[in-house]
Every structure is written in structure tokens, then in C-alpha cells.
Amino acid sequence: MEAKVKELGEQISKDYEGKQIHIICILKGGVFFACELAKRITVPVSMDFMAVSSYGSSQQSSGIVRIVKDLDEPLEGKDVLIVEDIIDSGRTLHHLCKILEQRKPASIHLCTLLDKPERRVRKEVTVDYRGFVIPDEFVVGYGLDYDQKYRNLPFIGVLEPEEE
């Protein structure tokens, strides 16, 4: 994991050479990854946090985004890097990007630690930087949770369903 985060930090630093990156960390799960990633980026970094919620059944996000915690700073003219823990359907991020684009940043790019492309419903969600592509399994650890548990695990593991 550490090697992959270092690799992502190096690539982002190279791609943003001469610029400042404004990282938007999507809470809560993204905070572990965003902090580790920011430490490995060599260009100037500013950081803000956003918490979003999607309406819909517990099985599937509708992708309609409700902002639970909005940004503290304006985005106009900034090179924005959205940092997420995991992307599956892409619905929430698709709508979030549309909302953020209205705030007139210079650019918006997306970085995720984990990507589940086989679950992607919104094909127009472009992941610019990805740590790992994973199969469609429920994972926890390193910020990812199940009912607010397991976020603090120092690794990512598959959560097995409970036997009845």
C-alpha cells in the first residue's frame, strides 16, 4: 500500500509541476488515504473536506448528492484533485463533479485508492489516478468501514458475510 501511495504522489507531483493542487478529501473514508497521499506530493498542496450522502436504498446509491459538509474555501481558478477512498458505480462522483464544476475551478481531476470498474454505471466518470483495481467485494480498513467499524485497520480486507 505504501509503495502505491508513493507512486501516486510522484505521478501527481509530476503532472502538476509548477502548479498548486487543491485537494478535496471526501469524508469520511477518504481521509486516511488523502493524508498519506498529500505527504508524498512535492508541489504545493492546500486541502479542504467535503461530506456527501446519496439518497436511495441501502443496496444502491441513486447518485443524487446531498452535501452534508460543504467546502470551506471557494474553488474558482484552482486545480482541484478530488480524493476518494473507493469508486464503484460512479453515480455520486458524477453528480458531485457537476456541482463542483459550477464553482469554476481551473481543473478537476479524480484520485481514488480503490476502483471497482465492473460496477461502474456512470461511464463518464474518469479516474485520473487509481491505486488498485479490485473485484466487486465488500472491503474494509484504511478508512473504509462497515457501519462505522473497521476504518482504523492498517490494511484493506474483504468483509465476509456473517453466517446465519
Side-chain angles (χ1 to χ4, degrees), residues 54-62 88 119 138 146:
S54 297
Y55 291 101
S57 72
S58 60
Q59 296 293 313
Q60 189 173 7
S61 162
S62 67
D88 49 36
R119 296 227 347 148
F138 196 90
Y146 172 70

Side-chain angles (χ1 to χ4, degrees), residues 30-156:
V31 73
F32 288 75
F33 174 49
C35 289
E36 290 302 313
L37 180 65
K39 289 190 272 184
R40 288 159 179 84
I41 295 174
T42 57
V43 298
V45 170
S46 58
M47 189 178 262
D48 206 343
F49 299 87
M50 190 170 215
V52 296
S53 171
S54 297
Y55 291 101
S57 72
S58 60
Q59 296 293 313
Q60 189 173 7
S61 162
S62 67
I64 298 170
V65 176
R66 182 173 63 91
I67 297 174
V68 178
K69 187 248 179 265
D70 206 344
L71 300 171
D72 293 329
E73 300 178 28
L75 295 183
E76 190 167 347
K78 294 181 180 179
D79 289 301
V80 170
L81 181 65
I82 299 171
V83 177
E84 219 359 331
D85 54 356
I86 190 167
I87 301 172
D88 49 36
S89 74
R91 285 185 177 111
T92 300
L93 274 172
H94 172 73
H95 287 282
L96 179 61
C97 286
K98 286 171 73 173
I99 290 168
L100 295 180
E101 284 168 1
Q102 294 172 357
R103 299 180 186 190
K104 298 182 172 92
S107 66
I108 296 179
H109 289 94
L110 183 56
C111 179
T112 187
L113 179 61
L114 303 175
D115 191 8
K116 290 185 186 179
E118 67 185 67
R119 296 227 347 148
R120 195 83 78 246
V121 172
R122 296 308 305 228
K123 303 294 186 203
E124 57 279 323
V125 171
T126 302
V127 180
D128 302 287
Y129 306 97
R130 78 174 41 88
F132 302 96
V133 174
I134 63 168
D136 186 14
E137 295 185 290
F138 196 90
V139 291
V140 295
Y142 203 72
L144 298 146
D145 74 301
Y146 172 70
D147 196 25
Q148 296 296 331
K149 297 180 187 100
Y150 311 115
R151 281 190 202 282
N152 61 321
L153 294 175
F155 57 86
I156 296 172

